[in-house]
Amino acid sequence: MSAKLFWELAWAVWIMAIFGLKDDGTVLVIGEDKYNKLQAKEWTNIVKIKSGISNVMGLKDGGTVVTTSDKVDTSDWTDIIQIGTPLISGTVFGLKADGTMNVAYSSNEKETKYDEIKDLSNICDFNLYYNRLVLLY
């Protein structure tokens, strides 16, 4: 394994999985197959990964996004440069190259607490701390 191997950890009382992004753009997965996370092993052309308890998401080199969750749909996302998912939520986020955000809620989440960010622009980066979203302008 190379020195450029990055690890994302997803922890819960009953689950542990480790995800590593390999130099060839594939994902190394070690752990239990809760929430179908092992399917990330089949991904290719991945440049970044993020994980939460219920899903793993990958940013592909063309700016599209894949996820292990069948509860969110990112199939129409394009021009994405940064991805994120809160540790304890199924919601996923994607920062577009033009400074706007995409948000996809888990199908079992009825809240729309992040909808207001869809109207923002000039965002240069973001980070997630549990269920708190921090935007950088």
Side-chain angles (χ1 to χ4, degrees), residues 50-51 83-89 93 113-114 125-136:
K50 294 291 180 179
S51 65
I83 55 174
T85 184
L87 180 64
I88 55 175
S89 169
F93 299 88
K113 61 185 170 187
Y114 298 111
D125 200 359
F126 74 97
N127 210 333
L128 294 159
Y129 300 96
Y130 294 94
N131 274 358
R132 303 285 190 256
L133 177 66
V134 178
L135 302 175
L136 303 173

Short mmCIF file of all heavy atoms in Angstrom, two decimals, residues 50-51 83-89 93 113-114 125-136:
data_model
loop_
_atom_site.label_atom_id
_atom_site.label_comp_id
_atom_site.label_asym_id
_atom_site.label_seq_id
_atom_site.Cartn_x
_atom_site.Cartn_y
_atom_site.Cartn_z
N LYS A 50 -15.88 9.79 1.59
CA LYS A 50 -16.38 10.24 2.88
C LYS A 50 -17.34 9.18 3.39
O LYS A 50 -18.06 8.56 2.61
CB LYS A 50 -17.13 11.58 2.77
CG LYS A 50 -16.25 12.74 2.38
CD LYS A 50 -15.28 13.10 3.48
CE LYS A 50 -14.41 14.26 3.07
NZ LYS A 50 -13.49 14.66 4.10
N SER A 51 -17.36 9.00 4.71
CA SER A 51 -18.25 7.98 5.25
C SER A 51 -18.99 8.49 6.47
O SER A 51 -18.51 9.33 7.21
CB SER A 51 -17.45 6.73 5.62
OG SER A 51 -16.55 7.01 6.67
N ILE A 83 -17.17 16.62 -1.26
CA ILE A 83 -18.32 15.86 -0.80
C ILE A 83 -18.32 15.75 0.72
O ILE A 83 -17.28 15.93 1.36
CB ILE A 83 -18.36 14.44 -1.42
CG1 ILE A 83 -17.05 13.70 -1.13
CG2 ILE A 83 -18.67 14.51 -2.90
CD1 ILE A 83 -17.04 12.25 -1.56
N GLY A 84 -19.47 15.44 1.29
CA GLY A 84 -19.55 15.24 2.73
C GLY A 84 -20.85 14.59 3.13
O GLY A 84 -21.86 14.70 2.44
N THR A 85 -20.80 13.89 4.26
CA THR A 85 -21.99 13.30 4.85
C THR A 85 -21.82 13.34 6.36
O THR A 85 -20.74 13.02 6.86
CB THR A 85 -22.23 11.87 4.34
OG1 THR A 85 -23.46 11.37 4.88
CG2 THR A 85 -21.11 10.92 4.68
N PRO A 86 -22.84 13.78 7.10
CA PRO A 86 -22.70 13.80 8.55
C PRO A 86 -22.54 12.38 9.10
O PRO A 86 -23.02 11.42 8.50
CB PRO A 86 -24.03 14.40 9.02
CG PRO A 86 -24.59 15.10 7.85
CD PRO A 86 -24.11 14.34 6.65
N LEU A 87 -21.89 12.28 10.23
CA LEU A 87 -21.64 10.98 10.83
C LEU A 87 -22.94 10.24 11.13
O LEU A 87 -23.04 9.04 10.90
CB LEU A 87 -20.82 11.14 12.12
CG LEU A 87 -20.50 9.86 12.87
CD1 LEU A 87 -19.61 8.96 12.04
CD2 LEU A 87 -19.86 10.17 14.21
N ILE A 88 -23.93 10.94 11.63
CA ILE A 88 -25.13 10.26 12.10
C ILE A 88 -26.38 10.56 11.28
O ILE A 88 -27.49 10.46 11.77
CB ILE A 88 -25.39 10.59 13.59
CG1 ILE A 88 -25.45 12.09 13.81
CG2 ILE A 88 -24.33 9.97 14.46
CD1 ILE A 88 -25.81 12.50 15.23
N SER A 89 -26.23 10.91 10.03
CA SER A 89 -27.37 11.22 9.17
C SER A 89 -27.12 10.63 7.80
O SER A 89 -26.00 10.42 7.39
CB SER A 89 -27.52 12.74 9.06
OG SER A 89 -28.44 13.07 8.05
N PHE A 93 -23.94 15.80 0.87
CA PHE A 93 -23.69 17.13 0.35
C PHE A 93 -22.63 17.09 -0.73
O PHE A 93 -21.68 16.30 -0.65
CB PHE A 93 -23.18 18.06 1.47
CG PHE A 93 -24.13 18.24 2.59
CD1 PHE A 93 -24.13 17.37 3.67
CD2 PHE A 93 -25.03 19.29 2.59
CE1 PHE A 93 -25.02 17.52 4.72
CE2 PHE A 93 -25.92 19.46 3.64
CZ PHE A 93 -25.92 18.57 4.71
N LYS A 113 -33.81 20.89 6.84
CA LYS A 113 -33.05 21.90 7.58
C LYS A 113 -31.88 22.48 6.79
O LYS A 113 -31.37 23.52 7.16
CB LYS A 113 -32.57 21.32 8.91
CG LYS A 113 -31.64 20.13 8.79
CD LYS A 113 -31.33 19.57 10.15
CE LYS A 113 -30.61 18.25 10.05
NZ LYS A 113 -30.43 17.63 11.33
N TYR A 114 -31.46 21.85 5.73
CA TYR A 114 -30.35 22.38 4.94
C TYR A 114 -30.80 23.03 3.64
O TYR A 114 -29.97 23.45 2.85
CB TYR A 114 -29.35 21.26 4.63
CG TYR A 114 -28.73 20.63 5.85
CD1 TYR A 114 -29.03 19.33 6.21
CD2 TYR A 114 -27.82 21.34 6.63
CE1 TYR A 114 -28.46 18.75 7.33
CE2 TYR A 114 -27.24 20.76 7.75
CZ TYR A 114 -27.57 19.47 8.09
OH TYR A 114 -26.99 18.90 9.19
N ASP A 125 -15.55 26.04 0.47
CA ASP A 125 -15.31 24.76 1.12
C ASP A 125 -16.36 24.56 2.21
O ASP A 125 -17.08 25.49 2.58
CB ASP A 125 -13.91 24.71 1.74
CG ASP A 125 -13.41 23.29 1.99
OD1 ASP A 125 -14.15 22.32 1.69
OD2 ASP A 125 -12.29 23.14 2.47
N PHE A 126 -16.45 23.34 2.72
CA PHE A 126 -17.36 23.07 3.83
C PHE A 126 -16.83 21.90 4.63
O PHE A 126 -15.97 21.16 4.19
CB PHE A 126 -18.79 22.79 3.33
CG PHE A 126 -18.97 21.45 2.68
CD1 PHE A 126 -19.48 20.38 3.41
CD2 PHE A 126 -18.65 21.25 1.36
CE1 PHE A 126 -19.67 19.14 2.82
CE2 PHE A 126 -18.82 20.01 0.75
CZ PHE A 126 -19.34 18.95 1.48
N ASN A 127 -17.34 21.79 5.84
CA ASN A 127 -17.00 20.67 6.69
C ASN A 127 -18.21 20.31 7.52
O ASN A 127 -19.10 21.13 7.71
CB ASN A 127 -15.80 21.00 7.59
CG ASN A 127 -14.98 19.77 7.90
OD1 ASN A 127 -15.48 18.65 7.90
ND2 ASN A 127 -13.71 19.99 8.17
N LEU A 128 -18.25 19.08 7.99
CA LEU A 128 -19.36 18.60 8.79
C LEU A 128 -18.84 18.10 10.12
O LEU A 128 -17.85 17.38 10.17
CB LEU A 128 -20.07 17.46 8.06
CG LEU A 128 -20.76 17.87 6.77
CD1 LEU A 128 -20.98 16.68 5.87
CD2 LEU A 128 -22.08 18.53 7.09
N TYR A 129 -19.51 18.50 11.18
CA TYR A 129 -19.21 18.03 12.51
C TYR A 129 -20.49 17.44 13.07
O TYR A 129 -21.40 18.18 13.42
CB TYR A 129 -18.69 19.16 13.40
CG TYR A 129 -17.44 19.78 12.85
CD1 TYR A 129 -17.49 20.93 12.08
CD2 TYR A 129 -16.21 19.18 13.07
CE1 TYR A 129 -16.34 21.48 11.56
CE2 TYR A 129 -15.05 19.73 12.55
CZ TYR A 129 -15.12 20.88 11.80
OH TYR A 129 -13.98 21.42 11.28
N TYR A 130 -20.57 16.12 13.10
CA TYR A 130 -21.80 15.41 13.44
C TYR A 130 -22.89 15.91 12.52
O TYR A 130 -22.81 15.70 11.32
CB TYR A 130 -22.11 15.54 14.93
CG TYR A 130 -21.07 14.85 15.76
CD1 TYR A 130 -19.99 15.55 16.27
CD2 TYR A 130 -21.15 13.49 16.01
CE1 TYR A 130 -19.01 14.91 17.01
CE2 TYR A 130 -20.17 12.84 16.74
CZ TYR A 130 -19.11 13.55 17.24
OH TYR A 130 -18.14 12.92 17.95
N ASN A 131 -23.90 16.60 12.99
CA ASN A 131 -24.95 17.11 12.10
C ASN A 131 -24.85 18.61 11.89
O ASN A 131 -25.81 19.25 11.49
CB ASN A 131 -26.33 16.74 12.64
CG ASN A 131 -26.76 15.38 12.19
OD1 ASN A 131 -26.05 14.72 11.44
ND2 ASN A 131 -27.91 14.95 12.63
N ARG A 132 -23.70 19.21 12.14
CA ARG A 132 -23.49 20.64 11.95
C ARG A 132 -22.72 20.87 10.66
O ARG A 132 -21.66 20.29 10.44
CB ARG A 132 -22.71 21.24 13.11
CG ARG A 132 -23.32 21.03 14.47
CD ARG A 132 -24.52 21.94 14.67
NE ARG A 132 -24.98 21.92 16.02
CZ ARG A 132 -26.06 21.27 16.42
NH1 ARG A 132 -26.76 20.58 15.57
NH2 ARG A 132 -26.44 21.32 17.68
N LEU A 133 -23.25 21.73 9.83
CA LEU A 133 -22.62 22.07 8.57
C LEU A 133 -21.93 23.42 8.70
O LEU A 133 -22.55 24.39 9.12
CB LEU A 133 -23.67 22.12 7.45
CG LEU A 133 -23.21 22.53 6.07
CD1 LEU A 133 -22.26 21.49 5.49
CD2 LEU A 133 -24.40 22.73 5.16
N VAL A 134 -20.66 23.48 8.37
CA VAL A 134 -19.89 24.72 8.43
C VAL A 134 -19.50 25.08 6.99
O VAL A 134 -18.82 24.30 6.32
CB VAL A 134 -18.63 24.57 9.30
CG1 VAL A 134 -17.82 25.85 9.30
CG2 VAL A 134 -19.01 24.15 10.71
N LEU A 135 -19.91 26.26 6.56
CA LEU A 135 -19.60 26.73 5.20
C LEU A 135 -18.49 27.76 5.26
O LEU A 135 -18.47 28.62 6.14
CB LEU A 135 -20.82 27.36 4.55
CG LEU A 135 -22.06 26.47 4.44
CD1 LEU A 135 -23.22 27.27 3.89
CD2 LEU A 135 -21.78 25.26 3.59
N LEU A 136 -17.57 27.70 4.32
CA LEU A 136 -16.49 28.69 4.21
C LEU A 136 -16.68 29.48 2.92
O LEU A 136 -16.89 28.91 1.86
CB LEU A 136 -15.13 28.00 4.20
CG LEU A 136 -14.84 27.10 5.41
CD1 LEU A 136 -13.55 26.35 5.20
CD2 LEU A 136 -14.79 27.92 6.68
#
